[in-house]
Amino acid sequence: MPQYADVILPLPLQSFFTYALPPLCETLPQVGSRVIVPFGSRKFYTAIVVRLHNDTPPYPTKPISEILDTSPIILQDQLRLWHWIADYYLCSLGDVFKAALPSGLKLESESTVLLNDDWEADSPLTLSEEKVWRALENKSPKGTEQTLANLQKETGLKNVLPIVKSLLEKGAVRMKEEIRRTYKPKTVLCVRLTETYTSEARMHEALDALSRSPKQTELLGQYLELSKASAALALQNRMLLAEVEKQALLHVSGSTSAILRELCQKGILETYPKLVDRAQTYPEIRCGERIAFQLSEPQQEAMNNILQQWHSHNVCLLHGVTSSGKTEIYIHLMQKAIEEGKQVLFMLPEIVLTTQLTERLRRVFGAHMGVYHSRYPDSERVELYQKMLSDAPYDIVVGVRSSLFLPFQRLGLLIIDEEHETSFKQQDPAPRYHARNAALVLAAQAGAKTLLGSATPSLESYHNALSGKYGLVTLKTRYAGLMLPTIEIVDVQEMKRKKMMSGIFSPQLLAHIRQALEQRKQVILFQNRRGYAPVMECRECGWTPRCQKCDVSLTVHRGYRPLFGKSEMVCHYCGATYNIPTVCPNCEGHELSSRGYGTERIEEQLLCILPEARTSRMDLDTTRSRQNYEQILHDFEQGKTDILIGTQMVTKGLDFDRVSLVGILSADQMLSLPDFRSYERAFQMMEQVAGRAGRKGAAGHVVLQTRDAGNAIVRQVTKHDYEGMYTEQMQERELFRYPPFCRVIFIYLKHRDENVIESLSADFAVLLRQVFGSRVLGPNTPFVSRVQLMHIRKLILKMELSAPMSAVRERLLALQSQVLAMPVYRSAQIYYDVD
C-alpha cells in the first residue's frame, strides 16, 4: 500500500512536492484526483496527485489534510498535455494547473484576523494599529473574523498586512486559515408522494380525509396530474412518478407554501432537494429543431476534399473566403463525428463569436452541446467540467482557448475557426501558450482529426499546408454566388490638404453611410482603439499625462454612455484611473486638448453629424459581461441599431444580413506596430472586417481610410490578394530568420530598480551567449518599458526548428537559476514567451 503522494500545486514552482498519505484513510486518492495539502507555515492549497509510491523522501513530509476526490478529475491525456505545455512554453506545471481548472475546483485557504481576548497592552498602539484594532473590535458579533481584504476596505489603509503582522507580534490579534469552498451545487425543491401513500387505496383514503379541505384537495389533485401518478399508484412504485418542482406546482395550482406545508405535515407529500444543472439555456430556441442545411456544390466539394485529405493528413487547413459558408461545413463534419460516436471540440477565438454560433448550433445539436468560456459564471463551468467526466458527457463543446483543458473521453474531431486570430495566444499570466498549437498536440494524443478554418490563415499554417505537413482545401466562392465587397481607398492626407475631412470621417465615407441609412441597411465602423482619445496634450508646452506606474500615456474616457461613471484618464495596462486636469501641471496653461480618436469619440461625432442614426458601440468597455455583448449583438441583428462602432471584436466571424457598408477609419495604426507580424495582422484584420459587408443580397462596399495609400498591404487588401501578401511576407521572414523558418523565444526580465534590470539583462545576455552564441539578440528596451512599477528588458533567442525544446528548456532554466542566485538579482523576475 503506497505511503506517499507526489502532487502538483497551483503555484509557479518547477518541482513536484511529496506528502504523506493519511494513515487511517479508507479510500486512497488516485492519480489525477484532488487533495488538500498544507504549504508553508499557514496556507492550504488544492493539489493534483501525479504519483503514488513508497519511496521515503530525504526530508520530513507533511500529511495530506483532506482527499477531495475518490476518482480522478484529471485524465491521463490531460496530464500529458499539461506536461507538453509546461515543457514547450517554458513554464511550470503549477502555472498550467492554475489555468486549466475552473476556480470552483481549486480550493484555497484564506487568512482571517480576529482579536485576542486575553491580550493586555504593555505599550501604546500606533494610529494605524489602533485603526485596525477598532475595526475588529467594532465588528458584530464580537469575535467575528475579518479577511485582510475587508480590513483594508474598512480602515482605508493602503497596505494592511504589515500592520496586522505588527499586531500579531504584540499578541493583540490571532490569524486563522480557512479553506474557501466557492462552488456550491444548485438545487431546487421538488415535491413527491411519501412512501406510505404510493398506492391507489391509500390515496383514496387521503382524498376522503381531505374532503373538508378543498384547497389541500386541489393542490394534491394538481400534483397527481403533474407527476402522472396513475401508473405509480397502480404498480405501487414511487420511481415512476415524474419530478415536480415546488414552485411549478404552486404556480399551476394557485396555492401557497402554507397549504403545501399542511399536506407535508399530514405525511401525504414531502419535499426534497434536486440537483440541477446551471448550464445556460435558450428558451426562445427550440433545441435540435432542424437538421443542417443542404450544402451547396462548392461546399460539398470542399467537405469531400477535407475528408479525403484526412486519409493522409491528421490536420487540414480550410482556406475559405469570408461568407463562403465554412460554418455549415463544420456542422456537417460535427454531425458525422457524432454519428461515429466521437466528441467534438469547436474552438473560437472570441467570446463574442459564441453568441451567434451557439444559437445556430443549438438548433441543430440541442442538448448534445455545451458552451465553455470565462464570461459564464464559475459554477456553470464547474458543472460543465463535471459533466464531461460523467457517463453522459456533451458530444460537442464550443469554447475559447481554455476549453482545450476539458476532460474529453472520446475526442475525435477538433475544429479551430479563425485559426489565425491572436486571441488564441495567452499573453499574461503564464502559461503563455498558443491554444491552436496546443490543440494540435491534444488531437495528436487523442488520435483525433483537426480542421483549421480561416479566410486569412496565419502564415505559419499556410506554410505548413503548402509544404505538405497539413492538408489544404480552398473555397474561393462566397455562398450563393455573392460577390466579394468592393474596397474604396481614401487618402486621408489628401482629404485634409483639401480641407474636406469632417473630423475622422471622409466625405466618401459619410456619403456611403447616408446612402446605407436611406436604403435601411446597416453599417459597421472599425477603429481598433477604445476610449475617447489615446492622448491628451497641452498645446502650449506639449505636456502629455502618463501613468505613474507604467511607461504609457493615459487614454481619455469621457464617460459617453455610462460605462465609466465619469470622465477620466485610464491606463490600459494596469487599469489605474486619474482625474482629467483643468490646467497643465507643467506650464499652468489652459490649452489642454484630446488628440486622436477612440470608439467613444467616433460615436459622439457620428451622433452630431447624423443624429437620426441609431448607434451602438462594441469594445471592451461595453462588453464587460455576457449580457452586455449578447444584447448589443441581438439589437444589431434585429435591426434596432443602424451603425455598430467597434474594435477588433467586430472583425471576427460575425454574420449579419443587412450590413452593406464597412468603414475602416484608420488603417495606419495597425501597420506601425513594432512587431514582425504587424503587416500580416493588419491584412487579416482589414480583410476580416471587410468580409462583414454584403453577406446577403447585393455586394457590400468597404471604405478604407489611410494616410499611406501606396502601402503594399493596402493594395493587397483592395484586391483581396492573400497569396500576394503571403509571398511578400515570407520572403522577408526567410531573409531575417523569423517564424516559420525558426523558433523565436522572447525572454523578459523585470525589476523595480532600473539600474538592477540594466545590469541583470546584460549579465544574463552574457550567460546566454556562452551557450547559444549568435542566436541571442539584445538586451533591448521594449516599446512599453515599465508596467505596474516594474522595469522591463527583453532578449530574443532564435532557435533552429530542429533544436529539441526540452534541451533548450533545461539550459535556459539552469542559466536562470544561476543568475537569480546572485543576491542582487533575487527579487527579479524572468519569464519566457515562445512563438
Side-chain angles (χ1 to χ4, degrees):
M1 181 176 175
Q3 295 179 300
Y4 300 99
D6 291 345
V7 303
I8 306 170
L9 287 161
L11 299 169
L13 304 167
Q14 294 296 338
S15 57
F16 299 135
F17 289 83
T18 303
Y19 287 84
L21 293 173
L24 300 176
C25 64
E26 295 180 5
T27 306
L28 286 173
Q30 297 183 39
V31 172
S33 60
R34 295 174 303 154
V35 293
I36 298 286
V37 297
F39 189 76
S41 59
R42 295 178 177 276
K43 294 289 285 184
F44 291 84
Y45 290 97
T46 300
I48 299 293
V49 176
V50 291
R51 179 175 171 244
L52 296 167
H53 59 90
N54 288 311
D55 303 334
T56 305
Y59 49 82
T61 56
K62 295 179 180 179
I64 287 171
S65 299
E66 185 180 347
I67 297 170
L68 294 176
D69 305 308
T70 55
S71 58
I73 70 158
I74 304 297
L75 307 180
Q76 287 298 324
D77 283 349
Q78 291 175 279
L79 279 175
R80 283 202 299 273
L81 181 66
W82 287 18
H83 279 282
W84 181 85
I85 289 174
D87 286 342
Y88 189 86
Y89 292 104
L90 302 170
C91 62
S92 70
L93 272 169
D95 289 323
V96 184
F97 170 21
K98 197 164 186 178
L101 287 188
S103 298
L105 295 177
K106 300 191 296 277
L107 309 182
E108 188 176 318
S109 67
E110 183 175 53
S111 301
T112 57
V113 187
L114 66 161
L115 290 177
N116 181 4
D117 295 328
D118 300 327
W119 177 67
E120 293 182 5
D122 54 10
S123 61
L125 298 177
T126 66
L127 288 174
S128 297
E129 290 171 344
E130 180 80 19
K131 222 173 190 181
V132 172
W133 171 267
R134 293 297 173 202
L136 290 167
E137 188 181 44
N138 295 336
K139 203 68 184 170
S140 179
K142 197 170 181 182
T144 302
E145 300 160 13
Q146 281 268 60
T147 64
L148 292 173
N150 285 344
L151 270 179
Q152 193 155 311
K153 190 176 179 181
E154 277 198 29
T155 59
L157 297 168
K158 285 191 174 180
N159 188 3
V160 79
L161 184 58
I163 303 159
V164 170
K165 281 185 176 177
S166 175
L167 288 169
L168 198 62
E169 289 167 3
K170 292 178 178 179
V173 299
R174 291 183 291 123
M175 291 192 77
K176 287 175 63 179
E177 286 290 321
E178 291 188 349
I179 300 292
R180 290 179 293 153
R181 299 179 186 267
T182 55
Y183 168 70
K184 291 181 181 178
K186 184 179 179 181
T187 60
V188 295
L189 213 56
C190 290
V191 181
R192 65 186 172 195
L193 288 172
T194 60
E195 197 69 54
T196 307
Y197 284 91
T198 317
S199 70
E200 290 180 341
R202 292 306 308 269
M203 183 51 58
H204 285 305
E205 291 176 16
L207 290 169
D208 289 342
L210 295 175
S211 59
R212 293 187 179 182
S213 305
K215 290 184 178 178
Q216 292 179 35
T217 303
E218 170 66 19
L219 179 59
L220 181 57
Q222 287 289 351
Y223 167 77
L224 294 173
E225 186 177 334
L226 289 173
S227 64
K228 301 175 183 175
S230 55
L233 294 174
L235 299 172
Q236 299 186 28
N237 185 352
R238 194 162 64 153
M239 299 298 291
L240 298 176
L241 292 168
E243 285 191 311
V244 178
E245 292 185 11
K246 174 186 171 182
Q247 289 302 321
L249 174 60
L250 295 180
H251 174 73
V252 170
S253 64
S255 193
T256 64
S257 296
I259 296 169
L260 175 61
R261 195 159 48 245
E262 289 174 6
L263 285 171
C264 292
Q265 288 169 354
K266 290 176 180 177
I268 301 170
L269 296 178
E270 64 183 7
T271 60
Y272 65 96
K274 171 195 164 188
L275 285 174
V276 294
D277 190 356
R278 288 184 175 95
Q280 61 281 0
T281 55
Y282 295 81
E284 73 278 8
I285 296 174
R286 291 174 58 196
C287 293
E289 69 181 13
R290 71 160 180 89
I291 58 170
F293 288 121
Q294 186 72 32
L295 295 180
S296 66
E297 189 175 330
Q299 287 175 318
Q300 187 63 55
E301 184 181 350
M303 180 171 165
N304 293 340
N305 288 340
I306 291 167
L307 295 172
Q308 185 65 37
Q309 288 290 340
W310 277 340
H311 289 304
S312 53
H313 301 86
N314 288 324
V315 182
C316 181
L317 173 65
L318 173 59
H319 181 196
V321 297
T322 55
S323 196
S324 57
K326 294 187 290 294
T327 304
E328 206 61 43
I329 296 174
Y330 301 156
I331 289 172
H332 279 73
L333 291 170
M334 285 190 273
Q335 282 184 321
K336 188 174 186 299
I338 291 174
E339 288 166 5
E340 294 170 357
K342 299 172 182 175
Q343 286 177 299
V344 180
L345 173 57
F346 186 13
M347 287 178 62
L348 300 164
E350 278 282 351
I351 292 167
V352 172
L353 271 180
T354 62
T355 302
Q356 277 199 327
L357 267 174
T358 48
E359 293 183 8
R360 185 171 174 182
L361 294 174
R362 209 172 283 275
R363 287 192 175 96
V364 180
F365 300 108
H368 292 277
M369 187 186 83
V371 182
Y372 189 84
H373 62 64
S374 60
R375 293 287 174 91
Y376 283 105
D378 188 68
S379 52
E380 286 189 23
R381 283 181 282 145
V382 169
E383 288 179 2
L384 187 142
Y385 192 99
Q386 291 172 334
K387 183 171 176 64
M388 295 302 288
L389 285 167
S390 71
D391 295 332
Y394 286 117
D395 293 317
I396 297 172
V397 173
V398 180
V400 291
R401 59 175 180 250
S402 58
S403 59
L404 67 88
F405 292 116
L406 288 169
F408 293 94
Q409 301 178 55
R410 43 187 171 80
L411 184 64
L413 174 62
L414 271 90
I415 297 174
I416 305 173
D417 194 23
E418 310 293 354
E419 64 85 30
H420 66 279
E421 275 293 345
T422 56
S423 305
F424 281 124
K425 179 71 168 72
Q426 164 75 11
Q427 296 296 342
D428 281 307
R432 296 170 180 86
Y433 67 102
H434 199 299
R436 178 196 63 215
N437 298 344
L440 294 177
V441 174
L442 170 65
Q445 291 176 348
K449 300 298 183 183
T450 304
L451 180 63
L452 308 176
S454 177
T456 54
S458 65
L459 298 191
E460 288 88 344
S461 294
Y462 200 63
H463 173 76
N464 286 335
L466 292 182
S467 63
K469 186 176 181 181
Y470 300 165
L472 176 63
V473 174
T474 57
L475 188 55
K476 296 281 189 179
T477 58
R478 280 187 143 193
Y479 186 75
L482 291 173
M483 298 291 291
L484 284 166
T486 56
I487 300 181
E488 177 182 352
I489 304 298
V490 176
D491 189 334
V492 172
Q493 290 283 64
E494 182 68 13
M495 291 294 105
K496 285 189 174 181
R497 189 182 66 80
K498 295 178 178 178
K499 298 184 178 179
M500 296 176 68
M501 289 290 290
S502 177
I504 197 172
F505 302 105
S506 64
Q508 294 94 324
L509 178 56
L510 283 175
H512 285 295
I513 291 174
R514 289 190 173 100
Q515 183 182 0
L517 295 178
E518 287 170 5
Q519 295 173 352
R520 298 188 180 278
K521 297 290 186 180
Q522 291 175 302
V523 178
I524 290 177
L525 297 179
F526 169 62
Q527 171 76 341
N528 202 24
R529 193 183 292 276
R530 65 186 175 98
Y532 186 83
V535 177
M536 174 173 277
E537 184 181 74
C538 174
R539 290 183 180 178
E540 296 181 21
C541 71
W543 171 83
T544 296
R546 304 185 73 80
C547 179
Q548 295 171 9
K549 299 177 182 178
C550 309
D551 182 29
V552 291
S553 59
L554 296 171
T555 300
V556 180
H557 286 260
R558 289 289 187 193
Y560 193 75
R561 301 283 174 96
L563 304 180
F564 290 82
K566 58 181 181 178
S567 295
E568 56 192 354
M569 299 182 296
V570 181
C571 174
H572 284 179
Y573 278 78
C574 70
T577 59
Y578 303 84
N579 293 327
I580 295 177
T582 54
V583 296
C584 174
N586 187 50
C587 70
E588 299 186 353
H590 290 78
E591 294 293 318
L592 293 171
S593 62
S594 301
R595 292 184 57 192
Y597 295 86
T599 49
E600 277 186 33
R601 192 171 191 176
I602 291 165
E603 184 179 28
E604 181 187 69
Q605 286 205 1
L606 196 62
L607 289 178
C608 291
I609 298 169
L610 298 168
E612 73 280 6
R614 298 168 297 175
T615 65
S616 184
R617 180 160 51 90
M618 189 169 177
D619 54 29
L620 186 62
D621 301 328
T622 62
T623 55
R624 297 288 182 185
S625 73
R626 185 176 98 203
Q627 290 75 21
N628 291 149
Y629 67 75
E630 285 180 355
Q631 189 62 53
I632 291 168
L633 292 176
H634 181 266
D635 288 348
F636 195 63
E637 191 170 27
Q638 296 299 314
K640 297 177 182 178
T641 305
D642 298 318
I643 303 174
L644 180 62
I645 304 153
T647 56
Q648 60 183 356
M649 288 182 178
V650 302
T651 70
K652 298 177 182 178
L654 298 175
D655 188 3
F656 299 110
D657 294 355
R658 291 188 288 271
V659 175
S660 65
L661 174 67
V662 167
I664 300 173
L665 299 177
S666 179
D668 307 286
Q669 67 184 40
M670 294 180 280
L671 298 169
S672 58
L673 295 173
D675 185 339
F676 72 92
R677 288 193 174 97
S678 61
Y679 272 31
E680 174 193 359
R681 288 174 176 166
F683 179 92
Q684 289 166 341
M685 207 172 288
M686 287 189 279
E687 184 70 13
Q688 288 286 339
V689 74
R692 302 314 107 208
R695 298 178 73 87
K696 298 286 189 298
H701 191 78
V702 179
V703 176
L704 193 159
Q705 296 184 171
T706 176
R707 296 171 181 268
D708 187 8
N711 189 290
I713 290 293
V714 173
R715 292 198 313 271
Q716 288 155 359
V717 169
T718 308
K719 298 175 183 176
H720 305 286
D721 184 13
Y722 174 83
E723 286 77 11
M725 184 275 295
Y726 170 82
T727 302
E728 188 175 289
Q729 291 301 305
M730 290 298 280
Q731 289 171 352
E732 287 191 12
R733 298 271 183 99
E734 188 170 18
L735 180 63
F736 294 105
R737 290 191 67 243
Y738 277 107
F741 301 103
C742 74
R743 182 171 288 123
V744 172
I745 302 171
F746 290 163
I747 304 169
Y748 290 96
L749 307 96
K750 289 185 175 182
H751 197 277
R752 285 181 175 268
D753 188 318
E754 190 169 9
N755 294 323
V756 171
I757 202 65
E758 284 286 354
S759 173
L760 169 62
S761 59
D763 290 350
F764 197 46
V766 169
L767 290 174
L768 289 171
R769 286 193 175 93
Q770 289 173 1
V771 176
F772 298 105
S774 61
R775 300 178 184 90
V776 179
L777 304 177
N780 58 47
T781 303
F783 184 63
V784 177
S785 62
R786 186 170 62 108
V787 174
Q788 292 185 321
L789 300 177
M790 299 290 281
H791 294 276
I792 308 169
R793 294 297 180 267
K794 177 179 171 184
L795 289 153
I796 298 176
L797 179 61
K798 291 185 176 182
M799 295 301 303
E800 297 84 352
L801 296 176
S802 58
M805 280 299 288
S806 56
V808 174
R809 172 191 169 89
E810 286 178 17
R811 294 291 184 90
L812 284 173
L813 293 181
L815 294 175
Q816 176 181 327
S817 298
Q818 181 181 338
V819 75
L820 293 183
M822 302 178 191
V824 68
Y825 298 145
R826 276 180 186 160
S827 58
Q829 298 175 21
I830 299 177
Y831 63 88
Y832 308 91
D833 194 352
V834 181
D835 296 344

